[in-house]
């Protein structure tokens, strides 16, 4: 108990320091369900009017459900693409004696360090030419390509920890190289696959710039772009609506973290025991 | 199945590990590839199972040339030093894996898997995962997995290196029992002469990519072809002293010791420098040729004592004798050598 007593000044100092942050989160939540008189922070009535966007679509905007579906499709598709390609490319770079392996490894590293935003004009032009501008598929491909270097390096790192003997044993047991990868090696890097999938999903869910530039309007709009359009709309400026949509936007992320936090913490505890 | 390496060579880039090696393993035989690390014994093993492509020569299983055949079709069972069990599978799944790859009917897979589990005594562990097993149990699973598909040959790559001393003793006889029971041709790679001698029908001793001698353990111990072989086999090891042929006797260098020429050696001309090898068990109270020296080290091993005997010229001989109290450190003693058990080597290590 003395330990608790001794640490109270530190707890107090930390509480004061983090109070603004906590207050901001609290108000993000409170403001969406209440109204306050002008000039006051204390709410005086409970209301659900800020959440009407869920069932009422204003003219000129997409339905929130359509936009959410777009976001979901965008995030899952990029995550799937990144996981599938990285899990294969990482294996190849870790294990197989491919020509110019060093060059590929260095190249992937450079691409990872490359700020994607500098490519936006070129990507815009390419998408225009191939006819994927303002489509969900176009942004998905671009986003997956940008996330892939990280994924490939992450997966290569996981594959590097799998002992060679397991593969040799598989080959001796009569399995083809592909079967060895699929049945013996892939299960050893499951924590990596899971981490990468979750990571890529969250990156996709939070992505703003790419969809904003490459699929700004029309049916491909995602939640982040929808949200930005709300602030940009000077005619119907509604702070509470913005906060409600914001809360709606981050809810899936919070739920994901809530359910998978133990996995996320165990992510680097995988591999085989000696 | 008979295995034949015919003028087999292997190099990695410019480094030639093995050149023109010919080795025959008879059907049902257990052969040890014995040698210090880096002598090419594991390279030979990996060439037989197809993990390394050979640079030259042929590898035959029976009459079939396997040189260009991929690992998967060679049907070779390998037990790795680290066992290489599949960590995500249970023991049963591990053993059944080679059968499932072969797409055997599930009932047959189960039957053969259980039969093999019985053979290696792990029936009670089938539902466990490798991480929940002891080293010896993992070893048994690895053996079962290697044997379950009736391989042409069983390769064991330092299978006992990761076990503690007691388990090593147990698994040594277990592996031999299983090999004899299945009648499989087996190759054991090891750097431990005790393993090689106790488990195998024949030993091929290797050094620097060459086979120095192939013989039964007993023959090799009694009749080593070179000083290297004599030095590798036997624990405690043989001791060497420098000497010179003089008038049909061996005069030990810088010491007033004369040893008779061993009967099995060709007598070199007078003045030839030679190396004499004396095993510890052949130096002691019994024998025909006296050797004087000072006891410079005593090691008690319980049943026996190991003595280091320093001669006048500074060279050290080893003697192992029944435990006794009558000699102690720094005593001057005169012991005897059984001269018919001496080994005589030329300066280059070749047996005379």
């Amino acid at each position: 108990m003395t330990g608790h007593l001794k640490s109270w000044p530190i707890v107090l100092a930390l509480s004061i320091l983090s109070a603004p942050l906590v207050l901001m989160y609290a108000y993000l939540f409170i403001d969406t369900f209440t109204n306050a008189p002008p000039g006051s922070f204390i709410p005086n009535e409970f209301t659900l009017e800020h959440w009407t966007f869920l069932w009422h679509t204003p003219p000129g905007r997409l339905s929130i459900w359509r936009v959410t579906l777009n976001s979901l499709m965008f995030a899952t598709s990029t995550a799937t693409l990144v996981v599938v390609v990285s899990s294969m490319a990482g294996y190849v770079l870790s294990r197989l004696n491919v020509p110019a392996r060093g060059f590929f490894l260095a190249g992937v590293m450079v691409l990872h360090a490359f700020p994607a935003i500098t490519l936006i004009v070129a990507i815009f032009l390419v998408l225009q030419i191939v006819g994927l501008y303002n489509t969900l598929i176009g942004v998905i491909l671009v986003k997956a390509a940008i996330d892939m270097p990280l994924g490939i390096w992450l997966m290569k790192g996981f594959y590097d920890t799998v002992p060679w003997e397991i593969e040799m044993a598989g080959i001796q047991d009569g399995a083809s190289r592909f079967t060895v990868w699929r049945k013996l090696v892939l299960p050893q890097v499951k924590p990596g696959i899971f981490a990468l999938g979750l990571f890529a999903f969250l990156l996709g869910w939070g992505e703003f710039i790419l969809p904003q530039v490459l699929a700004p309007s029309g049916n491909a709009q995602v939640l982040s772009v929808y949200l930005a359009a709300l602030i940009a709309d000077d005619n119907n400026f509604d702070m509470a609506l913005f906060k409600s949509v914001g809360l709606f936007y981050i809810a899936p992320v919070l739920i994901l973290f809530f359910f998978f936090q133990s996995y996320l913490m165990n992510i680097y505890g995988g591999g085989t025991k000696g | 199945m008979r295995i034949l390496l015919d003028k087999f060579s292997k190099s990695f880039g410019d480094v030639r590990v093995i050149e023109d090696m010919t080795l025959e393993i008879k059907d049902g035989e257990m052969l040890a590839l014995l040698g210090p690390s880096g002598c090419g014994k594991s390279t030979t093993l990996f060439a037989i199972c197809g993990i390394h492509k050979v640079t030259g020569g042929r590898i035959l299983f029976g009459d079939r040339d396997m040189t260009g055949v991929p690992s998967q079709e060679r049907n070779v069972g390998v037990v790795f030093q680290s066992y290489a069990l599949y960590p995500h599978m249970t023991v049963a799944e591990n053993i059944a894996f080679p059968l499932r790859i072969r797409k055997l009917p599930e009932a047959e897979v189960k039957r053969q898997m259980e039969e093999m589990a019985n053979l290696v005594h792990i029936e009670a562990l089938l539902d466990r995962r490798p991480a929940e097993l002891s080293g010896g149990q993992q070893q048994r699973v690895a053996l079962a997995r290697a044997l379950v598909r009736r391989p042409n040959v069983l390769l064991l790559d330092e299978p006992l290196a990761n076990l503690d001393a007691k388990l090593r003793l147990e698994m040594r006889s277990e592996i031999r029992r299983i090999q004899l029971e299945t009648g499989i041709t087996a190759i054991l790679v090891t750097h431990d002469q005790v393993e090689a001698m106790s488990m195998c029908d024949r030993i091929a001793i290797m050094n620097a990519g060459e086979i120095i001698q192939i013989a039964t353990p007993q023959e090799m111990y009694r009749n080593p072809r070179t000083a290297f072989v004599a030095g590798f086999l036997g624990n405690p090891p043989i001791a060497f002293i420098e000497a010179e042929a003089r008038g049909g006797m061996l005069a030990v260098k810088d010491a007033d010791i004369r040893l008779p020429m061993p009967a099995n050696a060709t007598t070199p001309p007078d003045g030839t420098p030679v190396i004499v090898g004396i095993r510890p068990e052949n130096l002691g109270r019994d024998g025909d040729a006296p050797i004087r020296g000072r006891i410079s080290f005593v090691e008690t091993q319980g049943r026996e004592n190991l003595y280091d005997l320093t001669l006048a010229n500074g060279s050290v001989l080893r003697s192992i004798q029944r435990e006794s109290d009558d000699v102690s450190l720094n005593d001057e003693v005169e012991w005897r050598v059984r001269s018919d058990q001496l080994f005589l080597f030329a300066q280059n290590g070749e047996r005379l």
Side-chain angles (χ1 to χ4, degrees):
Chain A
M1 286 312 281
T2 49
H4 284 265
L5 285 176
K6 268 184 201 155
S7 60
W8 74 264
I10 301 171
V11 172
L12 185 72
L14 287 176
S15 304
I16 292 170
L17 272 175
S18 48
L21 215 60
V22 174
L23 270 179
M24 261 159 43
Y25 277 111
Y27 267 97
L28 175 64
F29 186 76
I30 293 167
D31 280 357
T32 63
F33 288 105
T34 56
N35 278 328
S40 164
F41 287 116
I42 318 292
N44 61 352
E45 62 168 347
F46 175 80
T47 174
L48 283 176
E49 64 174 326
H50 307 308
W51 287 93
T52 52
F53 72 93
L54 287 179
W55 53 87
H56 172 73
T57 306
R61 286 206 195 118
L62 277 177
S63 151
I64 184 74
W65 297 110
R66 177 64 206 264
V67 178
T68 309
L69 187 69
N70 279 346
S71 263
L72 205 63
M73 272 170 42
F74 177 66
T76 42
S77 304
T78 50
T80 312
L81 257 181
V82 168
V83 164
V84 169
V85 176
S86 304
S87 62
M88 294 185 180
Y91 180 75
V92 169
L93 288 176
S94 165
R95 286 294 206 256
L96 303 188
N97 200 6
V98 283
R101 185 168 159 274
F103 169 79
F104 275 114
L105 277 177
V108 166
M109 183 65 108
V110 168
L111 281 179
H112 177 45
F114 212 84
I117 195 71
T118 54
L119 294 173
I120 203 89
V121 176
I123 293 172
F124 175 82
L125 289 175
V126 170
L127 287 190
Q128 278 260 312
I129 290 164
V130 297
L132 289 176
Y133 174 68
N134 227 351
T135 64
L136 208 50
I137 295 177
V139 223
I140 287 169
L141 289 177
V142 173
K143 177 66 180 160
I146 285 170
D147 285 353
M148 228 167 260
L150 171 73
I152 292 173
W153 264 93
L154 191 85
M155 288 316 300
K156 181 192 170 290
F158 272 93
Y159 283 123
D160 285 344
T161 65
V162 179
W164 263 109
E165 280 85 3
I166 286 186
E167 279 179 75
M168 290 196 215
I171 298 268
Q172 292 309 321
D173 284 346
S176 68
R177 201 73 203 253
F178 183 79
T179 311
V180 166
W181 172 73
R182 179 57 207 81
K183 291 250 175 83
L184 302 180
V185 180
L186 212 52
Q188 316 304 322
V189 297
K190 245 197 223 149
I193 300 263
F194 199 83
L196 181 60
L198 200 58
F199 207 62
F201 180 87
L202 292 177
L203 280 178
W205 187 260
E207 179 63 39
F208 168 61
I209 289 290
L210 290 175
Q212 168 75 9
V213 177
L214 303 174
S217 57
N219 293 332
Q221 206 175 42
V222 294
L223 271 170
S224 58
V225 178
Y226 180 90
L227 199 59
L230 283 182
I231 324 183
D233 190 349
D234 292 333
N235 300 326
N236 311 297
F237 189 73
D238 185 342
M239 192 61 108
L241 175 64
F242 180 77
K243 284 183 179 174
S244 304
V245 177
L247 192 61
F248 179 76
Y249 180 38
I250 61 169
V253 177
L254 292 179
I255 291 168
L256 270 185
F257 270 111
F258 182 77
F259 280 108
F260 295 120
Q261 54 172 342
S262 59
Y263 288 90
L264 282 171
M265 284 179 210
N266 282 330
I267 259 162
Y268 294 104
T272 59
K273 282 179 196 159
Chain B
M1 188 172 284
R2 184 192 71 130
I3 310 292
L4 177 68
L5 301 182
D6 182 21
K7 295 213 166 67
F8 149 68
S9 304
K10 173 71 197 172
S11 44
F12 294 98
D14 290 338
V15 186
R16 288 176 180 178
V17 181
I18 287 165
E19 253 181 293
D20 283 346
M21 179 170 127
T22 298
L23 174 66
E24 188 188 355
I25 301 114
K26 296 183 194 119
D27 185 29
E29 180 184 43
M30 183 149 176
L31 179 110
L33 283 179
L34 177 66
S37 35
C39 72
K41 55 192 192 303
S42 289
T43 308
T44 310
L45 191 89
F46 286 139
I48 294 172
C49 68
I51 286 172
H52 290 339
K53 286 195 175 63
V54 304
T55 328
R58 295 186 305 158
I59 295 173
L60 281 89
F61 288 13
D63 293 324
R64 191 170 165 212
D65 188 349
M66 287 286 186
T67 317
V69 176
S71 295
Q72 287 94 337
E73 291 161 35
R74 290 194 190 192
N75 197 17
V76 173
V78 187
V79 174
F80 293 91
Q81 184 177 344
S82 60
Y83 318 133
L85 298 178
Y86 310 133
H88 60 293
M89 295 185 185
T90 63
V91 168
E93 286 166 337
N94 261 284
I95 301 174
F97 183 77
L99 303 174
R100 296 223 165 96
I101 288 291
R102 244 147 259 223
K103 304 221 166 27
L104 259 61
E106 199 50 36
E108 185 61 19
V109 169
K110 195 163 157 38
R111 192 187 65 75
Q112 292 194 19
M113 183 271 287
E114 280 171 358
E115 188 190 342
M116 199 45 70
N118 287 340
L119 177 72
V120 302
H121 301 323
I122 46 169
E123 310 87 322
L125 308 171
L126 288 178
D127 294 328
R128 299 226 201 139
R129 282 180 200 279
E132 299 159 359
L133 300 179
S134 71
Q137 290 168 335
Q138 290 189 26
Q139 171 88 79
R140 286 169 191 269
V141 178
L143 263 171
R145 190 183 62 186
L147 288 171
V148 74
R149 65 205 127 106
R150 320 252 162 239
N152 292 324
V153 55
L154 174 69
L155 306 182
L156 302 149
D157 185 14
E158 310 239 1
L160 305 174
N162 287 1
L163 298 177
D164 61 53
K166 190 158 169 282
L167 259 178
R168 200 174 295 178
L169 211 67
E170 180 191 321
M171 285 315 292
R172 221 156 73 186
S173 48
E174 271 298 277
I175 291 176
R176 180 62 165 166
R177 172 184 70 80
I178 292 161
Q179 189 261 332
L180 289 173
E181 243 171 79
T182 51
I184 193 173
T185 311
I187 302 176
L188 170 79
V189 159
T190 181
H191 59 255
D192 183 347
Q193 48 103 14
V194 182
E195 271 172 36
M197 290 180 72
S198 59
M199 291 167 73
C200 295
D201 298 306
R202 285 196 304 158
I203 298 175
I205 191 161
M206 292 183 71
N207 191 25
E210 260 182 277
I211 294 181
I212 311 285
Q213 187 175 4
I214 307 181
T216 62
Q218 204 179 28
E219 168 66 14
M220 191 173 274
Y221 188 76
R222 282 193 192 156
N223 214 354
R225 185 181 285 170
T226 67
F228 173 78
V229 177
F232 213 88
L233 295 190
N235 183 32
I238 195 168
F240 295 107
I241 48 174
E242 290 179 35
E244 201 182 88
R246 201 178 294 158
M249 295 285 275
L250 296 165
V252 175
K253 213 173 161 188
D254 302 329
D256 188 20
I257 298 171
R258 300 223 162 197
L259 299 171
M261 195 69 73
N264 54 11
T266 47
T267 311
D270 270 14
T272 318
V274 292
I275 297 165
V276 182
I278 303 173
R279 290 211 188 271
E281 65 269 29
N282 295 326
L283 171 64
R285 315 296 168 97
D286 317 316
D288 49 339
I291 281 191
R292 288 193 65 83
R294 187 178 55 83
I295 294 173
S296 55
F297 181 73
V298 183
E299 186 179 286
T300 310
Q301 294 185 344
R303 185 162 34 93
E304 286 153 338
N305 281 353
L306 175 66
Y307 302 99
D308 277 5
L309 189 69
T310 304
L311 307 185
N313 66 356
S315 33
V316 178
L317 291 179
R318 272 179 286 267
S319 166
I320 192 151
Q321 300 174 14
R322 287 180 71 90
E323 189 268 334
S324 66
D325 295 332
D326 57 346
V327 283
S328 53
L329 199 62
N330 291 324
D331 283 359
E332 290 284 339
V333 291
E334 184 177 284
W335 279 344
R336 288 159 193 284
V337 175
R338 294 165 61 182
S339 61
D340 55 330
Q341 301 289 332
L342 292 181
F343 299 129
L344 207 55
F345 301 100
Q347 286 277 296
N348 64 2
E350 289 289 324
R351 179 87 180 277
L352 290 172

